[in-house]
Amino acid sequence: MTNNAGLDLTFAACAHPIRRGIIERLGVGEMTVGEATAGSGVSKPSISKHLRVLEEAGAIVRVIDGRTHRIRLSEHALDDAQGWISDQHALWERKLDVIEGYLAEQRARRARDDLPTEEGPV
Amino acid sequence: MTNNAGLDLTFAACAHPIRRGIIERLGVGEMTVGEATAGSGVSKPSISKHLRVLEEAGAIVRVIDGRTHRIRLSEHALDDAQGWISDQHALWERKLDVIEGYLAEQRARRARDDLPTEEGPV
């Protein structure tokens, strides 16, 4: 089984609409916490909790400039999650390739067996 | 903010090593629950709970054949999660393109301003 605490945290970070919303907004660049969460209709303590989940997952970085807290996406924010999902798709593709290869071989064999040859019986 | 209950469930399903392990094993094809979870060192009730999370997320499908429960990946198991992450990466790439374009323009302008021309002052 895949024991990877980093993946646990990244996927959990993505599993809430408020946190996905923050990630989406930060796509355009660094901003204040207020800008990144405006209109979410969520209390400040709740926002702080969501930000902590994102920070612990390594998805965002907090930049403290005097009294202003700004946040931005970390450079490789979702790379591990994307990597794991891509690996799974690659495995499934390989499985389909094997099945397709087997079917093609069966078809070729059947076609060969149906063909009369000079050496074999007709 | 992104309200998408399906994404919540898919990401939450991926946020546990036992559940990721089951998804990984099912990559080779349909199997019994026992085969998909062998060696995980987890109790049967716990396994049942993890399978329910995967089923509710639409990641796996259960096939009941008499007394045997077999499970397999559903056809588009992680497509929504992969789609969302890819969308974010696409946004970041576009942002980087804009920044690169701006820098290239600045460089070109500086080079132009530094060049002496016949018309302008040297």
Side-chain angles (χ1 to χ4, degrees):
Chain A
M1 305 273 157
T2 331
N3 257 310
N4 183 325
L7 272 179
D8 292 2
L9 295 174
T10 307
F11 280 124
C14 293
H16 195 285
I18 299 279
R19 296 195 290 267
R20 284 198 305 280
I22 293 171
I23 291 174
E24 287 171 6
R25 286 196 183 182
L26 290 179
V28 299
E30 192 176 300
M31 53 183 73
T32 65
V33 171
E35 288 163 349
T37 60
S40 64
V42 175
S43 69
K44 277 196 177 184
S46 173
I47 292 288
S48 293
K49 205 186 65 187
H50 288 306
L51 290 179
R52 220 160 31 239
V53 173
L54 288 166
E55 281 182 285
E56 281 169 8
I60 67 166
V61 173
R62 195 185 294 251
V63 183
I64 300 173
D65 178 12
R67 284 191 196 169
T68 312
H69 284 219
R70 300 176 71 82
I71 50 177
R72 58 177 167 79
L73 290 172
S74 62
E75 205 178 339
H76 299 289
L78 307 174
D79 286 4
D80 58 347
Q82 186 170 42
W84 184 79
I85 293 181
S86 296
D87 286 352
Q88 304 318 307
H89 275 124
L91 281 173
W92 306 340
E93 291 295 327
R94 262 207 295 287
K95 189 190 77 175
L96 290 179
D97 285 351
V98 169
I99 294 172
E100 268 174 21
Y102 172 80
L103 292 175
E105 202 179 286
Q106 293 297 309
R107 263 197 306 275
R109 182 167 298 168
R110 211 176 313 129
R112 208 166 49 229
D113 291 350
D114 286 351
L115 275 179
T117 58
E118 284 182 54
E119 295 86 8
V122 182
Chain B
M1 304 275 156
T2 331
N3 257 310
N4 183 325
L7 272 179
D8 293 2
L9 294 175
T10 307
F11 280 125
C14 292
H16 195 286
I18 298 280
R19 295 195 291 267
R20 285 199 303 280
I22 293 170
I23 292 174
E24 287 171 5
R25 286 197 184 182
L26 290 179
V28 300
E30 191 177 300
M31 53 183 72
T32 64
V33 171
E35 287 163 349
T37 59
S40 64
V42 175
S43 69
K44 279 197 173 182
S46 174
I47 291 287
S48 293
K49 205 186 64 189
H50 288 306
L51 290 179
R52 220 160 31 237
V53 173
L54 288 165
E55 282 182 285
E56 280 168 10
I60 67 166
V61 173
R62 195 186 293 250
V63 182
I64 301 173
D65 178 11
R67 284 192 197 168
T68 311
H69 284 220
R70 300 176 71 83
I71 51 177
R72 59 177 167 80
L73 291 171
S74 62
E75 205 180 337
H76 299 289
L78 306 174
D79 286 2
D80 58 346
Q82 186 169 43
W84 184 80
I85 293 181
S86 295
D87 286 352
Q88 305 317 306
H89 275 124
L91 281 173
W92 307 340
E93 292 294 327
R94 261 208 295 287
K95 190 191 75 175
L96 290 178
D97 285 350
V98 170
I99 294 173
E100 267 174 22
Y102 172 79
L103 291 176
E105 202 180 285
Q106 293 298 309
R107 262 196 306 274
R109 181 167 301 167
R110 210 176 314 128
R112 208 166 49 229
D113 292 350
D114 286 351
L115 275 179
T117 58
E118 283 181 54
E119 294 87 6
V122 181

